[in-house]
Amino acid sequence: MIKMNKREDFKKSYYDGFKKLTDVSLEDFMTYYDEAKYGGYPEEPSGSVWESEGKSIYVLIRILKPKKILEIGNFLGVSSNHILQAVDKNGIGEVTLLDIAESLQYDKLYSRNFTRILDNSLNHLLQFFQYDLIVQDGNHTYEHVKREIQLILSNNLLNNYYIWGHDYYVQHKLDIGIWKAWDEMKYNFNEFQAFIDSISDCGCSIAKKT
């Protein structure tokens, strides 16, 4: 019953927004959800994505089948596992895991099919790049998040790409300004959807650029 409740909650909380962003069918959407084998917080350590949020990354990758993915902020690798499994199921995709310090639990990762970079995201994004999907979950301050978005807009050589961002609904902590940065910058994108479900208190967002 608990598993069914999570499943129905995911469908209710995420499908309409995903439909607007990707035009995915409900059948495919739920098939991809059922495929995702990894969980998240609270079963995983604090600082990880919630299960529903991790599965939203998985579903998005299965739908988009991106060729190049950048994840900013990996911590222990809980969200990274959703990415690596989805890329494996797609049979296509290069993954770059970027963080400012090494915390990955390599023995618990789905695969080693990724490039590892230890650097400040603002340094990495200064160069030109071609990422179809960027998963944004690093530094949470307003200034840093806004600068990341600005650099992505100016330096991504692709015309079509998506940004999945964590913690959009964490709006009560003074040191977290993700929502403020995105509320100012979302108008630079063709579509923006924010998501929250009955379990997570963090939420996430997806921006689409075409």
Side-chain angles (χ1 to χ4, degrees):
M1 181 63 69
I2 293 176
K3 185 176 181 180
M4 179 59 70
N5 286 341
K6 286 183 178 180
R7 190 176 190 272
E8 290 302 313
D9 188 46
F10 187 84
K11 179 173 71 173
K12 178 180 178 181
S13 303
Y14 285 88
Y15 178 66
D16 287 347
F18 268 67
K19 176 69 173 177
K20 292 176 182 177
L21 288 160
T22 68
D23 200 34
V24 63
S25 69
L26 179 58
E27 180 181 5
D28 285 346
F29 181 79
M30 297 311 299
T31 295
Y32 295 148
Y33 172 85
D34 291 334
E35 283 179 359
K37 73 176 190 177
Y38 288 98
Y41 186 80
E43 289 80 8
E44 299 288 347
S46 178
S48 305
V49 293
W50 289 76
E51 178 180 325
S52 54
E53 296 159 355
K55 287 180 181 288
S56 76
I57 299 173
Y58 180 93
V59 171
L60 185 64
I61 294 173
R62 290 289 280 127
I63 295 169
L64 299 179
K65 296 176 174 52
K67 295 179 181 178
K68 290 189 176 182
I69 301 168
L70 171 67
E71 183 185 35
I72 301 172
N74 327 119
F75 190 38
L76 303 179
V78 175
S79 54
S80 307
N81 274 331
H82 289 280
I83 295 170
L84 294 170
Q85 186 201 354
V87 167
D88 184 46
K89 291 289 289 187
N90 283 343
I92 185 174
E94 299 177 7
V95 178
T96 298
L97 301 183
L98 171 73
D99 213 323
I100 199 166
E102 185 61 270
S103 298
L104 281 177
Q105 294 182 333
Y106 283 86
D107 60 325
K108 296 183 178 180
L109 291 180
Y110 177 84
S111 74
R112 301 292 181 91
N113 186 26
F114 59 88
T115 299
R116 182 62 164 157
I117 296 178
L118 297 179
D119 195 5
N120 188 310
S121 62
L122 300 185
N123 293 332
H124 183 71
L125 295 173
L126 282 173
Q127 61 190 322
F128 292 112
F129 49 82
Q130 299 183 60
Y131 293 120
D132 308 273
L133 173 63
I134 297 171
V135 176
Q136 184 189 44
D137 193 16
N139 187 310
H140 285 22
T141 63
Y142 160 77
E143 294 82 5
H144 193 100
V145 173
K146 183 174 181 179
R147 184 58 179 154
E148 283 182 345
I149 300 168
Q150 290 172 334
L151 288 173
I152 293 167
L153 285 166
S154 62
N155 292 340
N156 196 342
L157 298 178
L158 298 180
N159 294 320
N160 304 320
Y161 59 89
Y162 290 74
I163 303 174
W164 183 100
H166 195 215
D167 290 318
Y168 177 81
Y169 281 99
V170 182
Q171 302 182 4
H172 58 285
K173 296 183 179 181
L174 296 179
D175 59 337
I176 296 180
I178 296 166
W179 64 274
K180 182 179 178 183
W182 269 109
D183 280 358
E184 291 182 6
M185 297 298 294
K186 63 186 179 183
Y187 303 103
N188 294 283
F189 295 83
N190 301 83
E191 185 73 45
F192 179 86
Q193 294 289 325
F195 304 88
I196 190 76
D197 55 69
S198 66
I199 301 173
S200 166
D201 61 356
C202 297
C204 61
S205 63
I206 301 174
K208 176 182 179 180
K209 184 72 172 176
T210 57

